[in-house]
Amino acid sequence: MATAPGTSTPSSVAAPVAPPEIAREVVDPKAYAEWDHLLGTFDWLREHMPVARIESEEPGVHPPFWLVTRYDDVMRVSKENATFLNNPRSVVLSTFDGIEFAKSFSGGSEHMVASLVTFDAPVHMKYRKLTQDWFMPKNLRGLEDEIRAIARSAVDRLLGGAEDGQTEVDFVKTVAAPYPLHVVMQILGVPEEDEQRMLTLTQQMFGGQDEDLNQSGMKDLPPEVITQIIAGAVKDFETYFAKLTAEKRARPTGDVASTIANATVDGEPLNDRDMMGYYIIVAAAGHDTTSASTAGAMLALAQDPEQWARVKADRSLLAGIVEEAIRWTSPVQHFMRTAAEDTEVGGQKIAKGDWLMINYVAANHDPAQFENPRKFDAARENNRHLAFGAGAHKCLGLHLARLEMRILFEELLDRIDTVELAGEARRSNSTFVGGLKTLPLRLTHR
């Protein structure tokens, strides 16, 4: 198998190479829109090749890597941050062309954006601490009334202002996308009139592989064009946040953007690349994943009217609805790691420099950890899912995501009597961050 100069080929000792059709599927954005079939593929891999070598049939498409699918193995790789690094290789599956483009865009790094996601210790914790208190439960409790007002307004918009009756609506476009966006932009300090721009840029970054989200309207774009769309979104983000930085330095307002703009690490202000990466990760990752989980919960409840009725009658189930939605949808579908030393994962030898994909979709549907994992079960016990990651890189905004979803569902359950599908729910074509892009619902409400 050919490899690009300077790349590592996974160790070949007793390497279980995935069949070509599976190797194609696990890197195909469209496969992630065919959810049930994809879950079946991961079931097969966990049983037969829990640590599988993924090679491209066409040399030079993407570097080879190890695909890790069992819950215990994904948990271990996520937690052992000294053995499995975020740097220097890309933390998201990339083609050879995409990696080279990122290097030219960034000045040598495989990461188009430098952020908490890409840093290793000790840099990672220094940057994480800058905003960590903002996203802790103690601080978020002070924001509950503001978030509830946003949720109530979102439900008003969903129901079209009608006091009672029946409404048909696309839940994603009406609530699941704009609601968490508005919350995180308020926390960040972005004016409301700029939120649509932030949504468009986020969809281009995370939905670049989907013609409905990348704003091109074109199907089957080649990878290099998708990479350019993402790069364009990053540039637009950087332009916007450079202006915001100047404003927050001149007139700090006590929000997250003011914290980032005026932060120092080791006594020095953040450099432009790190600062822009910080803004982007809060602005983009802070809402797209919550949007996916919220829409996933509504899909599950629309498919199971009895479960909707149970949680409507017993709000103690609401925390379970939120947690199960996050597991069941697994919005961040994978991350890549690089072995810092020779090691083993799941009994498979891994060589120093090897690239690994830890697949959260596969791990969160592992029957060894979750009984009947494809079932959405609000009463699921010991739901120790990996949708937020684990270890030092566990999601900074996990408490905010849970709070947003709880408050929104309290408002929805207060005003909606029944919910059912009014058409086909469709998932985005994306290997990285994914979820529903349309969810037509029929609601009866009061």
Side-chain angles (χ1 to χ4, degrees):
M1 179 187 61
T3 59
T7 62
S8 170
T9 301
S11 50
S12 57
V13 179
V17 179
E21 63 275 15
I22 287 182
R24 288 192 301 269
E25 182 177 0
V26 298
V27 301
D28 182 2
K30 293 180 181 178
Y32 287 75
E34 301 296 330
W35 196 243
D36 286 339
H37 188 275
L38 182 72
L39 294 180
T41 297
F42 288 139
D43 287 344
W44 187 91
L45 282 165
R46 278 192 306 271
E47 182 177 353
H48 299 282
M49 292 184 178
V51 182
R53 182 178 177 176
I54 304 297
E55 300 177 355
S56 173
E57 283 184 287
E58 301 177 42
V61 174
H62 65 75
F65 61 89
W66 297 105
L67 172 60
V68 185
T69 52
R70 284 182 178 167
Y71 176 92
D72 287 344
D73 294 334
V74 172
M75 175 68 84
R76 180 197 153 206
V77 174
S78 298
K79 284 187 170 183
E80 293 186 8
N81 304 125
T83 303
F84 302 101
L85 303 176
N86 292 41
N87 254 316
R89 303 188 69 179
S90 176
V91 294
V92 177
L93 176 65
S94 304
T95 63
F96 281 122
D97 286 344
I99 289 169
E100 291 307 311
F101 185 93
K103 287 180 177 179
S104 65
F105 181 89
S106 67
S109 171
E110 290 191 15
H111 301 115
M112 205 171 290
V113 175
S115 72
L116 291 175
V117 173
T118 66
F119 296 149
D120 289 313
V123 176
H124 171 260
M125 187 51 66
K126 291 178 181 180
Y127 278 71
R128 188 181 180 96
K129 285 180 177 178
L130 297 178
T131 60
Q132 187 167 258
D133 286 349
W134 262 103
F135 298 99
M136 290 294 103
K138 181 179 179 181
N139 184 64
L140 294 175
R141 280 194 289 272
L143 301 175
E144 283 203 33
D145 288 346
E146 183 179 353
I147 294 173
R148 188 170 299 280
I150 296 171
R152 195 162 290 156
S153 176
V155 176
D156 286 343
R157 186 170 59 249
L158 175 70
L159 303 182
E163 291 296 322
D164 52 47
Q166 188 176 92
T167 298
E168 290 194 12
V169 67
D170 185 335
F171 185 79
V172 172
K173 291 182 174 62
T174 308
V175 174
Y179 164 67
L181 174 73
H182 189 37
V183 172
V184 79
M185 290 303 138
Q186 291 297 298
I187 291 172
L188 185 57
V190 170
E192 187 171 353
E193 60 266 25
D194 293 338
E195 288 181 8
Q196 183 56 48
R197 181 179 181 182
M198 295 292 105
L199 177 59
T200 298
L201 293 177
T202 299
Q203 289 176 333
Q204 288 177 329
M205 274 192 67
F206 292 149
Q209 298 163 309
D210 189 292
E211 67 273 10
D212 295 325
L213 300 178
N214 64 26
Q215 309 299 313
S216 72
M218 298 174 64
K219 294 184 178 181
D220 302 320
L221 288 176
E224 60 270 20
V225 175
I226 293 170
T227 300
Q228 290 167 9
I229 289 172
I230 296 170
V234 171
K235 277 291 186 189
D236 205 345
F237 266 125
E238 289 178 344
T239 299
Y240 179 86
F241 284 117
K243 181 172 180 282
L244 188 66
T245 295
E247 294 173 359
K248 298 298 183 181
R249 283 177 172 171
R251 293 176 298 279
T253 49
D255 45 39
V256 172
S258 296
T259 299
I260 296 170
N262 296 284
T264 60
V265 171
D266 294 334
E268 297 293 331
L270 306 192
N271 64 51
D272 288 345
R273 176 166 161 77
D274 291 351
M275 185 183 302
M276 294 308 141
Y278 215 133
Y279 286 127
I280 290 170
I281 200 66
V282 174
H287 75 86
D288 216 41
T289 50
T290 304
S291 171
S293 296
T294 302
M298 285 300 284
L299 170 63
L301 294 169
Q303 294 172 326
D304 187 353
E306 290 184 7
Q307 194 156 205
W308 174 269
R310 284 199 303 273
V311 74
K312 189 171 175 64
D314 181 4
R315 297 301 172 85
S316 69
L317 294 173
L318 188 51
I321 288 282
V322 169
E323 216 58 41
E324 181 69 340
I326 296 166
R327 178 199 71 85
W328 197 65
T329 57
S330 296
V332 177
Q333 295 169 161
H334 81 268
F335 269 121
M336 308 299 290
R337 295 289 185 262
T338 300
E341 59 192 39
D342 291 350
T343 185
E344 288 191 4
V345 175
Q348 174 60 46
K349 292 184 183 299
I350 305 294
K352 179 180 179 179
D354 280 0
W355 211 27
L356 302 91
M357 173 189 281
I358 45 176
N359 195 289
Y360 298 121
V361 177
N364 283 335
H365 288 81
D366 185 346
Q369 178 67 25
F370 304 100
E371 184 179 357
N372 195 4
R374 296 200 198 185
K375 177 180 172 57
F376 185 99
D377 183 4
R380 187 179 297 278
E381 297 180 354
N382 300 317
N383 195 348
R384 296 180 63 246
H385 62 76
L386 278 161
F388 289 125
H393 283 275
K394 195 167 187 177
C395 176
L396 181 66
L398 63 92
H399 301 298
L400 176 61
R402 287 167 172 153
L403 177 65
E404 288 178 74
M405 291 181 67
R406 174 179 65 77
I407 289 174
L408 177 64
F409 275 94
E410 286 172 352
E411 296 297 323
L412 290 167
L413 289 162
D414 281 347
R415 297 178 61 185
I416 295 173
D417 293 321
T418 63
V419 55
E420 61 183 1
L421 286 173
E424 181 187 7
R426 295 191 300 140
R427 292 184 60 88
S428 62
N429 301 326
S430 176
T431 55
F432 180 37
V433 175
L436 294 174
K437 60 181 179 180
T438 59
L439 179 57
L441 296 178
R442 185 178 299 109
L443 313 167
T444 60
H445 52 88
R446 51 189 166 82

